[in-house]
């Protein structure tokens, strides 16, 4: 993979523009961004639109319609007049009900990018399904999106799915947790435990998805430090108050646009072929670095997730 940001940017431009150049109708590539109204998701949508000169169908899903409309309206519109749509969704609420959202998405989809964020220091807070909201956003809701689109054949052959979370920064599941994967038992839940387990759950789930759909690419990414609004918009007052201190780390962090280029670079090179992949903050291949989970835990997690989100097939 190219090493410098200018080289990566040029490579992304060449690859993405070739996918869109001269395409019309059903051949125009389609990208879906879940959590695309701010931060990394927004930046990845903006870079895609720029690299393809706007000749790409883009659907943004999130909570902020005003922001989404502003983003979509900022994209160049070529003579092919590709799709620009927003669908309102909140992954922390009704995970099983996401089927009503995914059914609205067009097909075939070339890129599914999942970047929703939920940063808070709150204790376990359940939605009406009994799922902790942090885990709903970081794992269960993302899983449901992937499941719905793959099981319904909405992904184009060779399509790519990216979940931006914390690849390489997971935690061991262990004997106790494998019996309580939803962390519902007294004393099982904790902020750091959730932060460590959801990347591990994602690794294992994407591995299973890749075995079921060998013509697709499934990737988890670790973006590193990115200057987004996730701290200032947190529901936890202490995190909001601390957000100005992040400027002290400015030299060691990426802008959303820089992060987006790195992640596109990894998605188009490391995850070029079908299978399960993991990439780092500069799009580098993480391989099995800090991999957690056994085959038995993978199977147990899959069945647990299906039951939790109301899936009976696969």
């Amino acid at each position: 993979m190219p090493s410098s940001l200018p080289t990566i940017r040029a490579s992304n431009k060449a690859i993405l523009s070739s996918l869109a150049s001269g395409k019309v109708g059903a051949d125009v590539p389609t990208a879906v961004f879940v959590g695309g109204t701010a931060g990394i998701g927004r930046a990845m949508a903006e870079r895609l639109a720029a690299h393809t000169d706007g000749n790409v169908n883009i659907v943004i899903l999130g909570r902020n319609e005003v922001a989404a409309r502003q983003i979509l309206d900022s994209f160049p519109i070529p003579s092919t007049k590709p799709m620009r749509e927003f669908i309102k969704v909140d992954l922390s609420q009704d995970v099983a009900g996401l089927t009503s959202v995914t059914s609205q998405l067009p097909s075939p989809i070339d890129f599914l990018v999942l970047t929703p964020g939920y940063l808070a220091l709150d204790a376990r807070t359940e939605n009406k399904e009994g799922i902790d909201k942090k885990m709903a956003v970081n794992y269960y809701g993302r899983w449901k999106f992937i499941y719905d689109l793959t099981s319904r054949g909405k992904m184009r052959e060779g399509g790519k799915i990216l979940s931006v979370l914390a690849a390489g920064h997971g935690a061991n599941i262990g004997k106790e947790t494998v019996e309580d994967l939803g962390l519902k038992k007294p004393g099982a839940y904790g902020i750091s435990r959730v932060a460590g387990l959801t990347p591990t759950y994602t690794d294992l789930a994407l591995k299973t998805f890749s075995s079921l759909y060998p013509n697709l690419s499934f990737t988890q990414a670790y973006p590193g430090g990115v200057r987004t609004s996730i701290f200032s918009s947190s529901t936890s007052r202490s995190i909001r108050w601390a957000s100005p201190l992040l400027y002290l780390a400015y030299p060691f962090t990426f802008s959303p646009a820089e992060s987006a280029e790195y992640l596109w670079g990894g998605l188009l090179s490391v995850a070029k072929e079908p299978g399960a992949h993991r990439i780092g903050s500069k799009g580098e291949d993480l391989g099995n670095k800090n991999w957690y989970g056994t085959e038995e835990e993978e199977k147990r997690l899959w069945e647990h997730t299906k039951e939790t989100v109301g899936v009976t097939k696969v």
Side-chain angles (χ1 to χ4, degrees), residues 234-302:
S234 172
T235 58
S236 296
R237 182 181 301 176
S238 58
I239 293 179
R240 293 197 304 273
W241 284 353
S243 62
L245 298 177
L246 295 178
Y247 287 104
L248 297 175
Y250 189 96
F252 311 103
T253 58
F254 303 118
S255 70
E258 291 170 335
S259 177
E261 290 290 9
Y262 282 127
L263 295 180
W264 273 119
L267 193 62
L268 298 172
S269 58
V270 174
K272 181 179 180 180
E273 301 298 329
H277 310 276
R278 303 158 86 230
I279 59 176
S281 60
K282 291 190 174 182
E284 72 276 17
D285 187 359
L286 294 180
N288 288 328
K289 178 182 179 181
N290 295 330
W291 175 276
Y292 296 95
T294 64
E295 290 187 5
E296 177 61 24
E297 289 170 343
E298 179 184 345
K299 294 176 183 177
R300 295 281 293 273
L301 176 67
W302 187 260

Side-chain angles (χ1 to χ4, degrees), residues 77-121:
I77 303 179
S79 59
T80 54
K81 294 184 179 180
M83 177 191 305
R84 302 281 189 265
E85 287 192 6
F86 167 75
I87 300 176
K88 191 175 183 63
V89 66
D90 183 348
L91 269 68
S92 70
Q93 300 301 326
D94 185 8
V95 176
L98 289 175
T99 298
S100 64
V101 175
T102 56
S103 63
Q104 300 176 52
L105 294 172
S107 63
I109 296 168
D110 297 86
F111 301 104
L112 170 63
V113 178
L114 301 139
T115 63
Y118 192 110
L119 181 64
L121 298 178

Side-chain angles (χ1 to χ4, degrees), residues 44-310:
M44 290 194 72
E46 290 173 338
R47 299 318 301 153
L48 177 63
H51 289 324
T52 58
D53 295 322
N55 194 31
V56 57
N57 299 315
I58 294 180
V59 182
I60 292 177
L61 297 95
R63 294 176 296 177
N64 191 335
E65 182 172 1
V66 173
R69 296 298 179 191
Q70 291 175 344
I71 297 165
L72 294 170
D73 290 345
S74 72
F75 296 157
I77 303 179
S79 59
T80 54
K81 294 184 179 180
M83 177 191 305
R84 302 281 189 265
E85 287 192 6
F86 167 75
I87 300 176
K88 191 175 183 63
V89 66
D90 183 348
L91 269 68
S92 70
Q93 300 301 326
D94 185 8
V95 176
L98 289 175
T99 298
S100 64
V101 175
T102 56
S103 63
Q104 300 176 52
L105 294 172
S107 63
I109 296 168
D110 297 86
F111 301 104
L112 170 63
V113 178
L114 301 139
T115 63
Y118 192 110
L119 181 64
L121 298 178
D122 305 335
R124 181 183 179 90
T125 305
E126 295 185 352
N127 62 16
K128 65 180 183 181
E129 301 166 296
I131 302 173
D132 173 66
K133 290 185 177 182
K134 298 183 193 69
M135 298 182 76
V137 172
N138 289 338
Y139 174 67
Y140 295 104
R142 299 182 190 215
W143 188 99
K144 189 61 163 59
F145 260 95
I146 298 171
Y147 171 82
D148 282 355
L149 297 186
T150 53
S151 64
R152 294 179 178 184
K154 285 203 166 192
M155 296 297 301
R156 193 190 300 272
E157 184 171 354
K160 301 182 184 303
I161 295 171
L162 173 67
S163 182
V164 180
L165 190 58
H169 293 264
N172 184 45
I173 294 177
K175 293 182 180 180
E176 291 186 7
T177 301
V178 79
E179 302 296 337
D180 180 32
L181 292 164
L183 302 183
K184 291 190 173 186
K185 293 182 179 179
Y189 187 91
I191 303 302
S192 61
R193 189 64 174 145
V194 171
L197 283 177
T198 47
T200 297
Y201 287 5
T202 300
D203 278 340
L204 297 177
L206 296 187
K207 183 171 175 284
T208 303
F209 274 120
S210 70
S211 68
L212 293 171
Y213 303 97
N215 62 332
L216 299 175
S217 169
F218 300 86
T219 304
Q220 181 183 183
Y222 170 64
V226 183
R227 300 186 293 274
T228 70
S229 62
I230 190 169
F231 282 85
S232 60
S233 61
S234 172
T235 58
S236 296
R237 182 181 301 176
S238 58
I239 293 179
R240 293 197 304 273
W241 284 353
S243 62
L245 298 177
L246 295 178
Y247 287 104
L248 297 175
Y250 189 96
F252 311 103
T253 58
F254 303 118
S255 70
E258 291 170 335
S259 177
E261 290 290 9
Y262 282 127
L263 295 180
W264 273 119
L267 193 62
L268 298 172
S269 58
V270 174
K272 181 179 180 180
E273 301 298 329
H277 310 276
R278 303 158 86 230
I279 59 176
S281 60
K282 291 190 174 182
E284 72 276 17
D285 187 359
L286 294 180
N288 288 328
K289 178 182 179 181
N290 295 330
W291 175 276
Y292 296 95
T294 64
E295 290 187 5
E296 177 61 24
E297 289 170 343
E298 179 184 345
K299 294 176 183 177
R300 295 281 293 273
L301 176 67
W302 187 260
E303 294 305 315
H304 158 80
T305 307
K306 285 168 51 182
E307 180 181 356
T308 300
V309 305

